[in-house]
Amino acid sequence: MKTLLPIARSDIHVHLTQEDLDSLFGKHYVLTYVRELTIPGNYACAETVEVVGPKGSIKGAVIVAPVRSYTQVEVSFTDAAILGLDPPLRESGDLEGSAGCILIGAEGRRIQLTKGVIAALRHIHMHPDDAKEFGVSNGQRVKIRVPGDRALVFENVIVRVSEEYRLEMHIDMDEGRAANIVDFQLVELIR
Amino acid sequence: MKTLLPIARSDIHVHLTQEDLDSLFGKHYVLTYVRELTIPGNYACAETVEVVGPKGSIKGAVIVAPVRSYTQVEVSFTDAAILGLDPPLRESGDLEGSAGCILIGAEGRRIQLTKGVIAALRHIHMHPDDAKEFGVSNGQRVKIRVPGDRALVFENVIVRVSEEYRLEMHIDMDEGRAANIVDFQLVELIR
């Protein structure tokens, strides 16, 4: 049974609906590809937005393409403290009752979100072939041990299995720094 | 055998020598008491300094009194990224080869440190009576489990025993946010 997989940190970023993208960058705006992410077809864009909360703002939040059916801002709790927001810890797309914010795009264009700001639950993306090799299934909670000078074991790590996924664990910057992680280092799955 | 103890987060703060305090606030400056810390006799002061690195600066770093025989700046890796510094992960007072920075005090007074910036190793302070009750000794490494929605187990947690200490685990803000900690909540020591 396989136990080792790569881990990577996600910094603050946003997913946009076509409508919100149009509002922020102008009608029929085409996003600029920068680099592929580990979800094939998803990519980080050159375009960024400023995220504004009641207490402060963060510039340079990367837009992740392609557009989605919902607009979502993924922040760490450190980001949330800067913004003055109290986001729930959620899976992607689970936005009911989450925090709102203002997004500022190009040339001062802005939108007000009434919800969409979350802290992402740490999770593992797996292809069904990976799930078989690791002996786990979609939705299962596992533990992940990170070695090193700040060694720790993350509990409550949710496994997400899809034909679209490539094997990788995702955490936010706070979690990455707490464990002194180097992106793409190997960590150990503990059932 | 006892297993539960309180945990608290430390934000960026500085310890100063009398000489550096004088340089930053003027000769014979007397610091202003704000609140007692869990090391009896140590207290947070109203006075703060600005910490300046090659990339950025952080205002409002609290001074912890009384003065010490060394000047030390304790930062998280998030702070270090803002400052543009690469601090080592160390125990308090172990400053050889650590990062330098500029500190700015009152009325623009400033000093250049050639070393002193560290990220603090997570640790537990215990009175000798606590050490007996927990069945651990000075310098021992233990694991600490934090419950909750971001449950995790910190490994490599160093136990420090002294007549001067009151029972408490100390982590930085990154570690606190990674585990979604509420200050003074109880965590579990695992030998």
Side-chain angles (χ1 to χ4, degrees), chain A residues 1-35:
Chain A
M1 206 72 88
K2 270 185 84 172
T3 58
L4 297 179
L5 67 153
I7 192 169
R9 302 170 303 169
S10 299
D11 209 341
I12 184 171
H13 65 278
V14 303
H15 302 280
L16 296 172
T17 61
Q18 185 63 55
E19 186 190 348
D20 286 342
L21 176 62
D22 287 352
S23 300
L24 288 166
F25 288 87
K27 270 271 175 240
H28 311 303
Y29 189 84
V30 180
L31 290 163
T32 314
Y33 175 96
V34 169
R35 67 182 173 84

Side-chain angles (χ1 to χ4, degrees), chain A residues 115-126:
Chain A
K115 64 178 184 184
V117 184
I118 62 165
L121 269 178
R122 47 206 184 210
H123 58 274
I124 302 169
H125 283 170
M126 287 192 183

